[in-house]
Amino acid sequence: MSDDPESVKTLELRAQLESGPFQVEVGEAEGAHRFELRVGQRVCLGSGPLADVLVSDRTVSGRHCELTADDRGVVVTDVGSKNGVFVGGARVPHARLDASAASFVIGRSTVTVRLARGHDPARSTLPGIVGCSEPMLRVAEEVRRHAGTRAPILIQGESGTGKDLVARAIHELGRPQGPYVPLNVGAIAESLADSELFGHRRGAFTGAVAHRQGAFEQAHQGTLFLDEVAELSSGVQVRLLRVVEDGQVRPLGAHTSTNVDVRIVSASWAGLAQRVEEGRFRGDLYHRLSTVTLKLPPLRERRSDIPALARVLLRRLERELGDKQLSTGALAVLVAHEWPGNVRELASVLYRSAALATGREILTQHLSLSVRAAGPRNVRDVAQLDPKALLASHAGNVSAAARAARIPRTTFRALLTKTELREATRRSGSA
């Protein structure tokens, strides 16, 4: 058997295909829906009556592209659309998609293809959260499963993934009698942490001129959200553990404790389990806070949500910057980007782009994106590539050249074809 990584990947994919079909998510200009695509099927996506799957997007052609599923994955083919098919930020005539999680853009809609894993069409997203991609639906399932309990929940995810929004959704779905109290413990000075969490009595320290309830007392019979809990000092961790275990708070300067009934939801971008191993976080506190652990997907793992997120974020800017919308090319750039800062970074990029766009439409030249060394390139970087020279430097190995360029192999092939056609046209014109 060959040890080639691509051969191994193909075998793994074929084994996975035996357990179920592909799931296709379409994040449209006017909503979102999904359907299943089985091996041997071919479907046409478009906005007209001749399409097999109707896409509610005026920038999508009547018959825009075809999806074909075989035992190696899914192939997308442009069938003569006006605005094209964009994969990895580049316009391509056709491309083979990675079925584990691949996205492409048609018009102002994002299409994501992945292997189906027991999709339930009755599932729904969370209140206050934009996006109905498969990763977010899985998060919603977990939240709804545990929201009605009193178990402490730890939310983990990269910065900007919306941990605070998920915490509020947990509170709302749990229907508590008390309030929702958010507290960013990472932004509190250590000298003030005890007062902020547990409160103080008048005269407890210089400047304590009145009684003050701490976050635990404020959240009685409700939810206390402790954001960036990994940043708590070791001393505060000890006192927090005591409150979590016995449900009693003793404010600074008080002689007796107060009983509190609080649902604790905490969040951290840092891996708390790793910090426990490194001795930087108490293991007993970690186990009490992480009775239930939710992991939020980064934006690059739910690219089909980007059109909907962009519409909502641009709508919030209307009063300040006017009515703006993304061009097909600009949306393709956003979908191809890795988003190290996630939704928070997307909001910043859209604000800058909307401010630069003099007209209603945001074009690719209005976008300014940061590029990580290890991440895929954006459209500007792709446009500057010399695919023929890069291919020659890798002894004609397309896969190696694509990896060096940090773009999908199908995108590299399309760029190579475009370069060869451009050179052939130039030669014929000068003959």
Side-chain angles (χ1 to χ4, degrees):
M1 181 181 295
S2 172
D3 291 330
D4 178 65
E6 292 188 4
S7 297
V8 173
K9 186 174 182 181
T10 299
L11 291 174
E12 292 175 348
L13 175 58
R14 287 177 178 173
Q16 288 176 300
L17 287 174
E18 295 177 358
S19 62
F22 295 100
Q23 180 177 293
V24 183
E25 300 170 12
V26 184
E28 304 167 318
E30 303 298 334
H33 74 274
R34 55 181 49 79
F35 62 92
E36 289 187 347
L37 181 67
R38 297 186 177 277
V39 173
Q41 276 188 311
R42 173 181 295 177
V43 298
C44 177
L45 277 62
S47 60
L50 297 181
D52 301 313
V53 176
L54 189 65
V55 182
S56 302
D57 182 341
R58 288 176 296 177
T59 61
V60 169
S61 298
R63 283 176 50 84
H64 199 105
C65 66
E66 286 185 344
L67 291 177
T68 306
D70 57 30
D71 60 356
R72 294 174 54 203
V74 175
V75 174
V76 56
T77 303
D78 190 338
V79 292
S81 67
K82 179 180 179 181
N83 291 324
V85 174
F86 287 79
V87 179
R91 184 168 180 168
V92 297
H94 57 83
R96 179 169 292 280
L97 305 173
D98 179 359
S100 60
S103 295
F104 62 92
V105 172
I106 55 175
R108 295 194 177 95
S109 301
T110 302
V111 183
T112 299
V113 179
R114 56 168 52 89
L115 286 171
R117 293 178 175 86
H119 169 64
D120 178 4
R123 291 183 298 174
S124 59
T125 53
L126 299 172
I129 295 191
V130 178
C132 57
S133 62
E134 180 66 20
M136 289 307 295
L137 288 177
R138 288 198 294 267
V139 170
E141 281 186 326
E142 288 292 305
V143 168
R144 293 180 186 279
R145 183 178 299 122
H146 299 290
T149 71
R150 300 297 292 172
I153 295 180
L154 172 64
I155 305 172
Q156 296 212 274
E158 296 177 9
S159 177
T161 50
K163 295 184 289 294
D164 54 336
L165 298 177
V166 173
R168 185 174 288 276
I170 292 170
H171 171 76
E172 293 180 7
L173 293 172
R175 298 181 181 178
Q177 298 177 355
Y180 172 78
V181 179
L183 183 65
N184 187 335
V185 295
I188 302 173
E190 184 175 354
S191 59
L192 298 177
D194 282 340
S195 177
E196 290 288 340
L197 284 167
F198 314 123
H200 62 253
R201 295 293 179 257
R202 179 180 178 182
F205 51 85
T206 302
V209 297
H211 293 345
R212 183 181 185 280
Q213 281 189 332
F216 272 94
E217 288 184 284
Q218 295 173 36
H220 182 58
Q221 294 188 324
T223 302
L224 174 59
F225 174 50
L226 301 177
D227 198 8
E228 301 302 345
V229 70
E231 306 305 318
L232 284 172
S233 67
S234 57
V236 176
Q237 288 180 38
V238 173
R239 293 185 285 279
L240 177 59
L241 175 64
R242 186 174 62 248
V243 177
V244 173
E245 288 183 331
D246 60 25
Q248 293 188 333
V249 172
R250 177 175 291 186
L252 295 176
H255 300 291
T256 59
S257 297
T258 301
N259 290 325
V260 290
D261 176 18
V262 174
R263 165 70 171 280
I264 298 177
V265 178
S266 52
S268 173
W269 64 268
L272 284 189
Q274 181 178 349
R275 291 206 172 191
V276 170
E277 293 179 1
E278 297 169 349
R280 300 166 61 192
F281 199 85
R282 292 184 63 94
D284 45 9
L285 178 59
Y286 165 70
H287 292 302
R288 292 307 300 266
L289 295 178
S290 62
T291 303
V292 175
T293 300
L294 298 176
K295 294 185 178 180
L296 301 192
L299 186 55
R300 61 185 171 274
E301 292 181 5
R302 56 184 192 106
R303 298 179 191 271
S304 61
D305 288 334
I306 290 176
L309 285 166
R311 286 195 302 275
V312 170
L313 293 170
L314 288 174
R315 197 176 301 131
R316 294 175 183 173
L317 301 175
E318 280 187 11
R319 180 172 297 181
E320 181 180 357
L321 300 175
D323 182 18
K324 304 287 182 178
Q325 65 178 15
L326 291 163
S327 69
T328 299
L331 178 59
V333 172
L334 298 184
V335 171
H337 188 54
E338 281 292 275
W339 299 111
N342 294 291
V343 180
R344 188 177 293 123
E345 181 189 1
L346 175 62
S348 298
V349 167
L350 289 173
Y351 183 91
R352 293 195 300 268
S353 305
L356 285 172
T358 55
R360 185 185 180 211
E361 195 167 48
I362 297 174
L363 306 175
T364 54
Q365 57 262 38
H366 299 137
L367 300 177
S368 175
L369 302 173
S370 61
V371 180
R372 293 190 298 184
R377 297 170 176 264
N378 60 34
V379 158
R380 291 196 184 101
D381 295 320
V382 170
Q384 295 171 2
L385 284 175
D386 184 346
K388 293 186 69 175
L390 192 59
L391 184 64
S393 68
H394 287 82
N397 189 317
V398 174
S399 297
R403 284 194 295 271
R406 302 195 304 276
I407 59 176
R409 185 174 55 179
T410 51
T411 301
F412 185 86
R413 286 187 181 277
L415 289 172
L416 189 62
T417 300
K418 182 182 291 187
T419 301
E420 291 171 346
L421 288 173
R422 187 165 55 243
E423 291 178 354
T425 303
R426 190 181 300 119
R427 287 194 299 269
S428 63
S430 60

